[in-house]
Each structure stands twice: as structure tokens, then as C-alpha cells.
Amino acid sequence: MEVSARVERRIRHDFPDPGFADQLLRLLDALPRVAGYDPHMLASERVQAAVVLSARGSVRGFVQAVQLAREDWRDLLVAARLADRDWPDRLDSELGPPPGRRRWPWSRGPR
């Protein structure tokens, strides 16, 4: 598993200390292997982003979000407001458009 480029960029923004950011990236990267269930969902960018968004720049919040993901990733998605059908738009709003997808100046938002 790899942490997505958009999630890594957000972690490095929210946690500017390179040492902390690297530790948090390793913690997030290990999540699917240590949780013991549903590794594909736990490896998804959606769950990765939910951890980061729930943390709100707090290392303690990040660790708590990882723990919540280990217990029930669905509760984490609810906490991060990524459980509803509009989650792809919210993800783009929080992380920027995915690589390779441009936002045109006349568009009303992420597509």
C-alpha cells in the first residue's frame, strides 16, 4: 500500500515538521496490515483522507483517527464527513483534484 500523493501533500501541509510527517505517513501506510480486516478499504485514499481530515492538524487526533479506522472505518468516514454520496467532491475540495485532472478556469469546482 502507498499513501496517495494528495494525502501525503496534505499531511506535510498539516504537520510541517518533517519528522512527524514521516512518522504519520508510516503509521497510515501500515494501517491495512495491522487492522486485520478489510485491507483494501483501509488502503483506500478515502480512508487515508478521513484519517487526515479527522486529525485537523493534531498528532493526537491523527493517532485517534487511526485507532477508529482499526475499530470501524465506517465510523471514521462519518466523523470525517466522507460517508455520504458526495464524498468524491469533498475529497477533491479538501485535497485538490487528482493528478492528471485539470480544473478549468470556467468550471464551478472540482469534477
Side-chain angles (χ1 to χ4, degrees), residues 69-102:
R70 290 177 71 180
E71 293 168 7
D72 191 338
W73 56 263
R74 295 164 296 195
D75 289 343
L76 175 64
L77 294 181
V78 170
R81 295 181 31 223
L82 292 175
D84 295 327
R85 289 178 35 195
D86 69 342
W87 72 264
D89 292 334
R90 177 150 160 68
L91 213 58
D92 289 351
S93 173
E94 290 288 345
L95 304 178
R101 192 166 70 184
R102 296 182 61 187

Side-chain angles (χ1 to χ4, degrees), residues 42-86:
L42 292 172
S44 71
E45 184 182 49
R46 184 180 183 188
V47 170
Q48 293 174 0
V51 169
V52 178
L53 297 177
S54 293
R56 297 182 184 155
S58 160
V59 173
R60 173 184 254 175
F62 194 98
V63 172
Q64 289 172 339
V66 167
Q67 182 60 37
L68 181 56
R70 290 177 71 180
E71 293 168 7
D72 191 338
W73 56 263
R74 295 164 296 195
D75 289 343
L76 175 64
L77 294 181
V78 170
R81 295 181 31 223
L82 292 175
D84 295 327
R85 289 178 35 195
D86 69 342

